[in-house]
Amino acid sequence: MKESLKQKIKYWIKTIVQFILNPRLLLCFGLAWIITNGWAYITTFIAVRLGIEWLAAVAGGYLAALWIPFTPEKIITVIIAIFLLKLLFPHDKKTLEKLHNMKEKAKAEIKNLKIKRKNKKDLRNE
């Protein structure tokens, strides 16, 4: 039993590492990061170096908002990265198929959780 658990963990780690270190996905994620918050880091640095106070204040304010807990910036970055991946590399079937499989698996897991909750609720109500 332990050996199969170790094999499952190794498989998932290998799959995740291969997926994340995909050069096309890394490029798209980097572009998405620049779009969502990289511009603010770059702008803050330039504004401070050149002494442009209003620009430093705007970029710094945006960065401060990003560091508030539960900001959806990470989710938005991933969504933009997936959009860019589909736009820039439409023939990258391997990565797009893996994304599709992950989405379908997540849907199935959510459906199973809903069924389990409903069953528990039904048992409590009896």
Side-chain angles (χ1 to χ4, degrees), residues 2-103:
K2 281 189 176 184
E3 192 62 37
S4 70
L5 181 62
K6 284 182 181 180
Q7 289 174 344
K8 285 181 182 180
I9 291 172
K10 284 181 183 179
Y11 168 78
W12 280 107
I13 290 173
K14 181 181 174 186
T15 302
I16 290 169
V17 168
Q18 285 177 342
F19 181 71
I20 292 175
L21 295 181
N22 179 335
R24 294 178 183 112
L25 183 64
L26 283 174
L27 174 68
C28 292
F29 189 79
L31 291 172
W33 181 81
I34 292 287
I35 291 169
T36 56
N37 61 10
W39 67 268
Y41 286 103
I42 295 166
T43 304
T44 302
F45 176 76
I46 292 170
V48 169
R49 297 288 275 175
L50 298 178
I52 307 170
E53 293 178 15
W54 69 269
L55 189 58
V58 170
Y62 182 80
L63 289 174
L66 286 179
W67 287 92
I68 295 172
F70 308 113
T71 52
E73 172 265 330
K74 306 287 187 284
I75 296 168
I76 293 169
T77 303
V78 169
I79 291 169
I80 292 172
I82 292 169
F83 171 76
L84 289 173
L85 183 69
K86 289 180 180 180
L87 183 71
L88 298 176
F89 303 106
H91 302 295
D92 185 9
K93 299 295 181 198
K94 186 178 178 183
T95 307
L96 294 174
E97 183 179 336
K98 196 168 278 200
L99 279 172
H100 180 72
N101 291 342
M102 289 168 62
K103 177 181 145 189

